[in-house]
Amino acid sequence: MINKKIVVLGLALVAFCVQCKNVDSKKVDKTNEEEIALKEGKVVIPDSIRTKMPKGTSIPEGMVWISGAEFLQGAVPQDKMAMKHEKPAHKVAVDGFFMSATEVTNDQFAKFVKETGYITVAEREIDWEDMKKQLPEGTQKPHDSILQPGSLTFKKTKSSLPNLYDFSQWWRWTIGASWKHPNGPGSSIKGKGNYPVVQVSYEDAVAYCSWDGSRLPTEAEWELAARGENLEAIYFWGDDVVDLKKRANTWEGEFPVVNTKMDGYERRAPVKSYPANSNGLFDMAGNVWEWTTDWYNTNYYKEQGALNQVTYNPTGASNPFTENNPYAKEKVIKGGSFLCSDSYCASYRVSSRMGSSPDSSLEHLGFRTVKEY
């Protein structure tokens, strides 16, 4: 995914409920039941996983309850667009929790800034001495005219591109871009209080959560919440991509040249512009990417799959690692954005995952929050 430092320099179940079964007309214990169910391809909710919200518990404003469950995290077999770092699907079990029904909005973030005086990473002066610690040794310092507060913004290309591997063809470092000016100095969030806040780094999102009494979700929590009743589907609504334009804000047309806006929007859309998933969560596909707490490690799923066991409340890889960029230290982001298309990344698929540097902020990256009971 996008690393701010390198771009500055380069561009500068619901879980499956398994009924107790009799085998040979004899009652089996819990261990045997689980072994039989797993052999049959079913999933059992462990007794230790809290699935239901305790009686008398109040649902925080703007949030919904996500039932705890055991499920297979990662790409489903029928997903032909799944990438290597989404495989293999591996068994995880997650406790129930509350999640914000929408991404954090401009209005919500503005309230946080007003009450705390917080200054986002994109608005701060750039510290070259700190930046170069995470860059290849010997990297030359860019001109001071480039090392100015700002962030990354998207720009359509004028013609078709021979390849879509070089993201610098459509991303540019824009001095003055911030959550208040998501597309650059000439842009504004005035009248867009119900749009998802973007141009917020991981550090910014964590700061908001600390103020709000919440936290960011783990990748496993995010995926469980997104899947809802469709634990074995490619998309949160099922397997039919034809429904995409009715369900999510994505790129339609030739990326990154022409967006036909068949879904109604070219860039970000207000929250709740599309139907919620079965958990009552909006924009779990498209619109803007969302931060999670997990380190992005391209080997993590392979390592988890090799364990062949259930991981309870996983928090992701212990260390970051990106196969094609050993200097990268990235966090997992989920959900895709308005830039995702079938020709580029198709990251509106539930299992899709990418990495982004914690200090990076982009015009298609935001976050939502979770709370425990």
Side-chain angles (χ1 to χ4, degrees):
M1 193 50 193
I2 308 298
N3 185 309
K4 175 179 177 179
K5 298 180 179 67
I6 291 181
V7 173
V8 171
L9 299 172
L11 333 159
L13 221 208
V14 176
F16 292 120
C17 295
V18 179
Q19 300 296 326
C20 293
K21 300 180 64 177
N22 288 328
V23 178
D24 295 332
S25 300
K26 294 180 180 180
K27 186 175 181 179
V28 297
D29 61 26
K30 184 67 175 177
T31 301
N32 288 336
E33 178 193 342
E34 291 184 359
E35 290 178 353
I36 294 169
L38 289 172
K39 287 179 181 179
E40 294 177 352
K42 299 179 181 179
V43 181
V44 178
I45 304 174
D47 290 336
S48 60
I49 291 298
R50 295 168 291 181
T51 62
K52 296 182 179 180
M53 183 175 65
K55 292 182 179 180
T57 302
S58 299
I59 299 178
E61 183 179 359
M63 290 189 148
V64 298
W65 170 252
I66 307 300
S67 296
E70 181 176 309
F71 71 106
L72 287 171
Q73 180 182 353
V76 295
Q78 68 272 26
D79 187 355
K80 304 305 180 185
M81 300 194 74
M83 302 176 72
K84 184 173 68 172
H85 63 177
E86 301 170 33
K87 303 175 182 178
H90 49 280
K91 303 167 189 173
V92 300
V94 177
D95 282 328
F97 57 95
F98 298 105
M99 176 175 269
S100 55
T102 72
E103 295 137 340
V104 173
T105 65
N106 287 321
D107 275 350
Q108 291 172 314
F109 199 80
K111 182 179 180 181
F112 155 64
V113 170
K114 181 178 181 180
E115 292 187 7
T116 63
Y118 184 81
I119 299 174
T120 63
V121 171
E123 298 171 289
R124 302 174 196 168
E125 294 296 326
I126 295 175
D127 185 342
W128 170 246
E129 293 303 314
D130 180 62
M131 176 181 287
K132 71 179 183 181
K133 294 176 183 177
Q134 299 185 49
L135 296 170
E137 187 175 350
T139 299
Q140 295 297 309
K141 179 182 177 181
H143 192 275
D144 288 342
S145 62
I146 296 176
L147 289 179
Q148 298 294 321
S151 194
L152 298 168
T153 60
F154 170 78
K155 183 180 181 180
K156 291 191 294 186
T157 60
K158 295 180 179 180
S159 59
S160 301
L161 299 177
N163 73 76
L164 296 176
Y165 294 103
D166 180 7
F167 58 76
S168 67
Q169 297 172 106
W170 56 86
W171 284 106
R172 63 181 179 182
W173 176 254
T174 303
I175 295 173
S178 69
W179 73 276
K180 296 177 184 177
H181 309 287
N183 302 333
S187 63
S188 171
I189 59 172
K190 185 176 181 180
K192 296 182 178 180
N194 64 336
Y195 280 61
V197 66
V198 293
Q199 299 292 17
V200 286
S201 69
Y202 181 83
E203 179 182 332
D204 301 332
V206 169
Y208 176 93
C209 290
S210 297
W211 168 79
D212 187 51
S214 61
R215 63 175 173 81
L216 294 174
T218 65
E219 182 181 9
E221 287 174 334
W222 194 99
E223 186 164 325
L224 173 64
R227 289 193 177 282
E229 296 176 350
N230 296 303
L231 288 176
E232 298 181 334
I234 299 174
Y235 315 105
F236 74 73
W237 59 87
D239 288 335
D240 194 348
V241 73
V242 173
D243 291 339
L244 179 62
K245 63 179 178 294
K246 301 176 182 178
R247 301 279 188 170
N249 178 20
T250 63
W251 187 279
E252 294 163 309
E254 183 184 357
F255 181 85
V257 185
V258 177
N259 188 335
T260 61
K261 298 184 287 186
M262 291 180 65
D263 55 22
Y265 296 91
E266 183 171 27
R267 295 200 178 191
R268 296 172 298 279
V271 298
K272 298 186 178 182
S273 293
Y274 301 86
N277 74 351
S278 58
N279 277 329
L281 298 169
F282 296 86
D283 290 324
M284 297 304 279
N287 211 18
V288 300
W289 285 94
E290 300 176 14
W291 287 109
T292 75
T293 58
D294 294 31
W295 283 115
Y296 177 69
N297 186 312
T298 49
N299 293 330
Y300 178 65
Y301 276 37
K302 181 180 179 180
E303 293 168 354
Q304 290 301 107
L307 295 176
N308 194 30
Q309 64 185 30
V310 179
T311 303
Y312 296 90
N313 293 315
T315 55
S318 57
N319 297 294
F321 176 73
T322 304
E323 190 172 22
N324 61 0
N325 183 5
Y327 292 97
K329 295 181 179 179
E330 301 175 314
K331 290 288 186 176
V332 174
I333 57 176
K334 295 286 287 183
S337 77
F338 63 86
L339 294 180
C340 291
S341 71
D342 57 1
S343 64
Y344 178 39
C345 65
S347 290
Y348 35 75
R349 298 172 296 103
V350 181
S351 66
S352 183
R353 59 201 300 266
M354 296 293 285
S356 189
S357 172
D359 72 338
S360 292
S361 50
L362 306 109
E363 70 162 280
H364 71 337
L365 175 56
F367 67 103
R368 73 178 69 219
T369 63
V370 301
K371 291 183 179 181
E372 300 169 12
Y373 62 86

